[in-house]
Amino acid sequence: MHIHLGIEGVLPWALYLGMWVSFFLSMLWRPQIGLYILAFALPMQTGRYKLQPFLLGPQFVDLLILGVILGLLFKGRSIIESLPSNRILLFMALFLYLSLWEGAFFADAPLPIWITDPRFSNWKNYVEMFFLALLVASTLTTKKQVQTLIVVMCLSVLVVNRNYYSLLADRDLSHFSYDIRDAGLLGYAGVNGFAAFEAMFCVFLIGMLPFIKRITARLGILAVLVTGIYCLLFAFSRGGYIGFLVGIITVGLLKSRKYLVIAFLIIFSWQTLLPTAVQQRISMTTESSGSGQFDSSSEERLTLWRDALDMFERNPVTGTGFNTYEFMHRVGSYRDTHNYYLKVLAETGIVGMILFLLLLRMLFVSGWSLYRASDDPFWSAIATGFTALVVCGIVLNFFGDRWSYQQVDGYLWMLLGTVLRGQIEVNASAPEDSTPHALSASSDQAEHSLHVVVA
């Protein structure tokens, strides 16, 4: 039985009013309010659909970012802090815009000059996440503000998870079926995108947990983790499972060896520990006949991967242009290569792949260097969780595009902003004679340690 409270017609108007109130509060009072609202709303793509009919409703994210920027300007504060990461983010954004033009000529598509062009809009949404990271680093200037951001994220994830639980409540979870799967509030990111979101945020919280001593904070984190792991399990995403497992191993290597024990217990006992439906989903990777052949889903991925490699071989230097594969319809109805690295190769070639790997390196080193440099438990918790999240994300993108969706990756970039803020705070608290070099030295140590681990 569904209970109607009579608010269905009022809710869109309330959300629209809330959008404008948040904008003006950010601009005229406290810029961080816009970031808190964004953190709460980013994963809830289907909720934001209710704003589509209203003036500037589809530009909800853009509008709140503008409110934060104006708020900083009115207070005479810097919009972007001077950080080493700025260069790679700016260069990547410019390269991808030039690649948009290449794609327009290659595919005889509209010129990328306004948001009405879907390729330009996709580029804007992508690079907007870069800027969001820098905006977080500039706006949230105290530890308390960063803590508030994390709490808001946790509350948002609880809402997302509660919604997903309600969607599954009437479905038979005793065995696997494709009909069970659902993307929940993350909308067009798809169920695998939903699983990636859950895996990355759960890994982030697991990385934080060893540093959290307050019992109320630990209980809160555990509550989000329990609901998140439930959602991850019943999203039935094999890539999500692998990314989550690798993230746990990363936390074990960085901080607490007990997570290595948990990871290996899962690896060797999953047929006993996991629900039957999840076991069935994992076992579907190869045919049950014992022939060793991949199932139809895996075979389709292999076909897409071969097609992407063929595109790359034909245009190896700069590819066919950013966001072109989606509109080519090369393999049936598929619009994605189901491997983001192959998508980067096909669309932006060797040049784009080098830049993308440098971007991943920047993300990893940012977290790792803060972990090495900070003696503060809070910043160490942020750094550990973020580093594990990045490793988890690197793995997840082998199984599809888990990189281009704001509702999936928005938290990664906002959390990068908290890491960058942590670096600023560590530099500020370092001895005066070593302040300019504190994090660069730590970054060098991080790269050296990474080389040792790899060797």
Side-chain angles (χ1 to χ4, degrees):
M1 179 179 69
H2 296 283
I3 300 176
H4 297 282
L5 301 178
I7 63 172
E8 288 80 3
V10 176
L11 184 59
W13 284 99
L15 293 175
Y16 187 60
L17 177 62
M19 179 184 80
W20 283 106
V21 169
S22 301
F23 170 77
F24 284 112
L25 287 176
S26 302
M27 179 175 66
L28 302 175
W29 187 35
R30 295 183 178 178
Q32 62 268 27
I33 289 175
L35 295 178
Y36 298 152
I37 299 300
L38 272 176
F40 189 79
L42 265 180
M44 303 182 196
Q45 181 65 41
T46 59
R48 287 186 275 129
Y49 285 160
K50 299 181 186 301
L51 296 171
Q52 295 288 331
F54 297 99
L55 176 67
L56 295 181
Q59 281 72 53
F60 171 84
V61 176
D62 306 340
L63 188 69
L64 287 188
I65 288 178
L66 176 62
V68 175
I69 292 172
L70 293 175
L72 292 174
L73 289 175
F74 290 164
K75 290 182 177 295
R77 291 168 54 184
S78 173
I79 298 174
I80 298 178
E81 298 281 354
S82 179
L83 294 164
S85 56
N86 296 6
R87 292 191 295 271
I88 180 63
L89 294 175
L90 176 61
F91 196 82
M92 187 73 172
L94 291 174
F95 169 78
L96 292 179
Y97 183 66
L98 294 175
S99 185
L100 268 182
W101 281 84
E102 179 190 8
F105 292 116
F106 181 89
D108 194 24
L111 296 180
I113 55 178
W114 192 242
I115 57 175
T116 52
D117 172 42
R119 292 180 62 246
F120 180 86
S121 180
N122 289 338
W123 170 84
K124 185 270 296 180
N125 291 338
Y126 184 15
V127 302
E128 191 170 51
M129 292 190 285
F130 300 173
F131 186 70
L132 185 58
L134 301 178
L135 204 57
V136 168
S138 298
T139 306
L140 306 185
T141 56
T142 69
K143 189 186 299 184
K144 184 177 180 180
Q145 290 174 349
V146 174
Q147 290 170 341
T148 301
L149 181 71
I150 304 300
V151 170
V152 170
M153 287 180 174
C154 288
L155 292 174
S156 176
V157 173
L158 282 175
V159 173
V160 170
N161 296 350
R162 175 64 180 85
N163 172 264
Y164 198 73
Y165 178 81
S166 66
L167 290 173
L168 299 184
D170 297 329
R171 303 183 189 184
D172 182 5
L173 301 178
S174 62
H175 64 279
F176 173 74
S177 168
Y178 284 104
D179 294 334
I180 303 174
R181 308 185 76 200
D182 201 295
L185 289 176
L186 270 73
Y188 66 83
V191 64
N192 290 320
F194 171 78
F197 169 80
E198 293 287 352
M200 287 191 289
F201 196 70
C202 284
V203 163
F204 172 74
L205 293 181
I206 290 171
M208 289 191 69
L209 200 55
F211 299 91
I212 305 301
K213 304 305 179 185
R214 286 178 55 193
I215 186 64
T216 52
R218 290 182 66 85
L219 289 175
I221 289 175
L222 288 172
V224 181
L225 276 174
V226 169
T227 61
I229 291 172
Y230 172 88
C231 292
L232 174 61
L233 284 174
F234 292 108
F236 298 108
S237 170
R238 292 167 291 190
Y241 300 154
I242 295 172
F244 177 70
L245 192 61
V246 173
I248 292 178
I249 292 172
T250 304
V251 175
L253 292 173
L254 285 175
K255 178 59 181 176
S256 180
R257 297 296 182 264
K258 69 180 179 182
Y259 290 108
L260 294 178
V261 176
I262 294 173
F264 286 111
L265 184 64
I266 295 172
I267 291 171
F268 293 109
S269 304
W270 64 270
Q271 292 176 309
T272 302
L273 295 173
L274 299 181
T276 301
V278 177
Q279 294 179 36
Q280 292 173 349
R281 177 56 172 158
I282 296 172
S283 299
M284 285 174 59
T285 304
T286 56
E287 299 289 358
S288 58
S289 63
S291 62
Q293 298 294 317
F294 290 107
D295 71 322
S296 58
S297 175
S298 300
E299 284 289 353
E300 288 167 352
R301 287 176 184 266
L302 292 174
T303 300
L304 290 164
W305 294 354
R306 287 189 288 266
D307 182 61
L309 285 173
D310 180 65
M311 281 182 59
F312 165 66
E313 290 171 359
R314 294 172 184 270
N315 306 275
V317 180
T318 56
T320 60
F322 178 74
N323 195 217
T324 48
Y325 191 91
E326 176 182 353
F327 302 97
M328 290 182 175
H329 308 291
R330 291 174 58 92
V331 180
S333 60
Y334 288 100
R335 305 180 70 180
D336 186 71
T337 61
H338 283 274
N339 181 309
Y340 191 71
Y341 302 98
L342 293 180
K343 183 178 181 178
V344 170
L345 274 176
E347 293 186 341
T348 59
I350 295 173
V351 176
M353 176 56 77
I354 291 173
L355 287 174
F356 182 63
L357 293 177
L358 288 174
L359 183 63
L360 293 180
R361 174 185 175 276
M362 181 273 290
L363 292 171
F364 180 86
V365 171
S366 293
W368 177 266
S369 61
L370 178 60
Y371 174 75
R372 298 277 295 180
S374 178
D375 295 325
D376 186 305
F378 177 71
W379 295 122
S380 296
I382 294 288
T384 304
F386 181 76
T387 304
L389 183 157
V390 170
V391 174
C392 175
I394 288 171
V395 173
L396 289 167
N397 278 282
F398 280 102
F399 304 98
D401 183 354
R402 314 292 178 243
W403 193 255
S404 303
Y405 298 92
Q406 289 185 340
Q407 62 267 47
V408 176
D409 296 302
Y411 279 8
L412 180 151
W413 294 99
M414 294 189 86
L415 291 171
L416 171 63
T418 67
V419 168
L420 297 177
R421 168 49 57 181
Q423 292 181 348
I424 294 169
E425 295 300 314
V426 168
N427 269 341
S429 62
E432 186 173 341
D433 59 347
S434 61
T435 296
H437 310 287
L439 278 172
S440 61
S442 177
S443 180
D444 292 340
Q445 292 174 358
E447 292 183 34
H448 174 71
S449 299
L450 180 60
H451 293 157
V452 171
V453 171
V454 172

